[in-house]
Amino acid sequence: MTEFTGPEILLVRGDITRQKADAIVNAANSSLLGGGGVDGAVHRAGGPEILAACRDLRASHHGKGLPTGQAVATTAGRLDARWVIHTVGPVYRDPGGDPELLASCYRESLRVADGLGARTVAFPAISTGVYRWPMDDAARIAVGTVRNTPTAVEEVRFVLFDDRAYEAFSRQFG
């Protein structure tokens, strides 16, 4: 029996739309039709091909939108990737949020990546923007979930937009 060791995990301070990877994960809204934050940036940088693919998904399997914690893939359009994996993170509300739904975003994205044959995947800090998930808790959930999810993905890159996010994720390795 082979012991599960998980993918190599890297932290990058930067813009996820500028990453070269097999798959880039989009912190999407449930409509799949673009929005603000990471979602808007991915749609703007990737171009109209991503929106067209998302509209096709809405017209077929996801007419009511993508449920929180689930993931689905489309073309990456003009991004330096083969695919965009869209996942819908949970909104953090007082007195809290469901950490299992946030963990599911990472597990389901890795499952979709495995189905595509992706070996490198770039993740943002899902739900930490307008969905207000506390950064330290989000980092703990993200890194712990990736470490403990069996996958054929060889490299997971957390692409963190600012120093605060980078530092929170860095603390998960110290």
Side-chain angles (χ1 to χ4, degrees):
M1 186 159 120
T2 305
E3 183 178 323
F4 169 70
T5 57
E8 178 181 13
I9 300 175
L10 305 173
L11 302 181
V12 175
R13 167 91 165 71
D15 179 346
I16 197 161
T17 67
R18 296 181 182 265
Q19 295 297 304
K20 179 180 172 75
D22 291 337
I24 290 174
V25 176
N26 178 24
N29 66 49
S30 63
S31 77
L32 296 174
L33 302 178
V38 171
D39 195 20
V42 166
H43 276 269
R44 281 189 302 277
E49 299 88 352
I50 295 174
L51 182 57
C54 287
R55 283 189 173 131
D56 289 346
L57 286 170
R58 287 295 306 265
S60 59
H61 306 312
H62 299 286
K64 294 182 180 178
L66 186 64
T68 302
Q70 296 300 302
V72 66
T74 65
T75 180
R78 293 182 281 205
L79 296 172
D80 198 1
R82 293 178 66 190
W83 304 283
V84 170
I85 298 173
H86 306 267
T87 190
V88 180
V91 175
Y92 189 86
R93 289 190 170 86
D94 290 331
D98 184 350
E100 181 52 36
L101 282 174
L102 184 54
S104 180
C105 292
Y106 292 95
R107 273 194 308 275
E108 288 297 305
S109 294
L110 290 171
R111 181 189 61 76
V112 169
D114 283 341
L116 296 168
R119 294 294 175 251
T120 57
V121 177
F123 280 100
I126 297 167
S127 285
T128 61
V130 297
Y131 288 5
R132 300 184 319 276
W133 203 281
M135 189 63 73
D136 285 322
D137 193 44
R140 178 187 59 77
I141 293 166
V143 172
T145 302
V146 167
R147 280 182 173 151
N148 294 303
T149 300
T151 181
V153 171
E154 296 167 0
E155 177 188 291
V156 166
R157 202 174 313 142
F158 288 107
V159 183
L160 306 157
F161 192 70
D162 60 24
D163 290 335
R164 183 177 70 90
Y166 188 90
E167 290 163 10
F169 274 74
S170 293
R171 286 191 286 275
Q172 298 305 308
F173 296 92

